[in-house]
Amino acid sequence: MNDKIKLDISGALQAAAWVEGEIESNRSDLAAAAQAVDAKRKEGLLGFFDLPFNKEGAAAIKQTAEYIKGNFKNLVVIGIGGSALGNRMLHNALNHPRYNELPAGKRKGCPRVYVLDSIDADYLKGLLDVLDLKETAFNVITKSGGTVETMANFFVLKDMLKREVGPNRAAESIIATTDASRGVLLEIARQEGYRLFHIPGNVGGRYSVLSAVGLLSAAVSGIDIDELLSGAETAVKDCSAHDPYKNPALMGAALHYIAYQRGKSISVVMPYSDALDYFGDWYCQLWAESLGKTKHVNGTAVPVGQTPLKAIGARDQHSLLQLFLDGPDDKIFTLLGVEKRQNSFIIPPPDGAGNELQYLGGSTLEKLLASELEATESVLAKRGRMCLRISLPTVSPYTMGQLIFFYMLMTAYMGELMGINAFDQPAVEEGKRITYRLMGRPGY
Ligand code: PA5
């Protein structure tokens, strides 16, 4: 298939003369990072590499998706962090922008999909106000099986559901996605007889969107998950070399790494597409939780990490761009463009007044947005700001699969380059323990 996403680094190379030289001088470190990732993959530590090839898993997910489609009008995903953001990203990218508001016929009979990752009581009440529990299935997702936010929401909803439909129907309405061998959710699921999906032990939360975590709710809403996986499979193959000029994920990591070493402590991702809005949120979690770490160098604790920031084109040109251009040179930018959208709108010429806007007449909204991306790229380059561009031929399951895998792998490479573990989140765990204490959990 020719629908490949493209990484264009010319803006970064033009930004400063040192960029190309530093790619060269870091070549051996880049090859070592790629080798280390390969070695970890071979050791079975990086399960996210295997997900695109799990056809059997995809078949089981599609079967359960059919069951949900046949029996329910709504699906609520209950999770948080890596157990929710990927679901939001896929739904936002690949479903109609007003999917839940469409009549069932226009959703091809697929259930509405909601993601509950907030423990704000007002937010939950708002969701309950639009749901009929009798017609709603719940996919509770937590790898550890005990995340407080997820389990608190789940307990509230399970209790309501049981009272509304009775314990048997409630058990038929709940699908649990969790670790295969441990955790409270696993125990409850077995005890109460829920349908169950397992998250492989070697797949961390923020690397799990291509497992049952992200795929079930996607399949329920009619997204072609085979195409999504096939896109990721393409990226696995296209990003396997140890030479950055032959491996776009390694090149992406190289540029972010040398930018970081030159004081660019912020990585801005700026999609010129509303469909990629939640991709930006997913990216922020991936980059922040994976790379924001304390590194121990010669017995000293050194905080490291590059702060991710999402901006949306063209909206944030009227909000953040002034800072990006005139503010401190502490950022590396990635603009995401979409070559072909599903829809087109011709802009009619203004009648009467508005002569200075005549030039818009006969053009299209897509051309305007594409021109704004070009303009931002060029003005960033003129200021010497490092800027990459990723182009998606279209936003489709196949291109999203590529984009997702590209970013997960780039993050893994970046972790190696920075000399940290990109797969744990020790500081978050510390915050969790304090919450337990505040909530009165014994032993904390
Ligand atoms: O990426 C991660 O590991 C985290 O963001 C987790 O996904 C998040 O903390 C939720 O954890 P769990 O799936 O165990 O409920």
Side-chain angles (χ1 to χ4, degrees), residues 150-163:
T150 301
M151 294 308 279
N153 272 331
F154 175 56
F155 290 151
V156 170
L157 288 165
K158 179 165 76 103
D159 184 58
M160 285 180 159
L161 187 64
K162 274 186 170 171
R163 278 186 280 121

Side-chain angles (χ1 to χ4, degrees), residues 80-83 141-145 147 205-206 285 289 425 432:
I80 202 163
S83 292
I141 308 176
T142 160
K143 183 171 183 211
S144 59
T147 299
R206 53 196 177 274
Q285 190 224 1
E289 213 168 58
Q425 52 285 327
K432 283 184 188 172

Side-chain angles (χ1 to χ4, degrees), residues 260-308:
Y260 179 66
Q261 287 185 312
R262 289 268 178 158
K264 298 182 200 313
S265 58
I266 300 171
S267 162
V268 177
V269 149
M270 189 162 185
Y272 277 71
S273 160
D274 282 292
L276 298 177
D277 190 340
Y278 273 101
F279 167 77
D281 292 331
W282 175 82
Y283 162 71
C284 283
Q285 190 224 1
L286 181 67
W287 207 245
E289 213 168 58
S290 301
L291 304 175
K293 297 284 154 71
T294 298
K295 186 170 165 175
H296 294 272
V297 186
N298 304 328
T300 314
V302 186
V304 296
Q306 193 174 44
T307 305

Side-chain angles (χ1 to χ4, degrees), residues 52-93:
F53 305 94
N54 187 358
K55 311 288 176 225
E56 224 172 274
I61 288 166
K62 284 189 280 182
Q63 207 175 3
T64 301
E66 285 310 311
Y67 161 75
I68 297 171
K69 283 190 211 173
N71 291 281
F72 301 93
K73 294 196 173 139
N74 313 299
L75 172 71
V76 176
V77 172
I78 310 170
I80 202 163
S83 292
L85 281 164
N87 303 68
R88 285 193 185 279
M89 164 176 67
L90 294 178
H91 186 60
N92 172 226

Side-chain angles (χ1 to χ4, degrees), residues 345-359:
F345 282 97
I346 296 174
I347 309 167
D351 0 82
N355 263 345
E356 75 273 23
L357 294 176
Q358 281 296 343
Y359 69 92

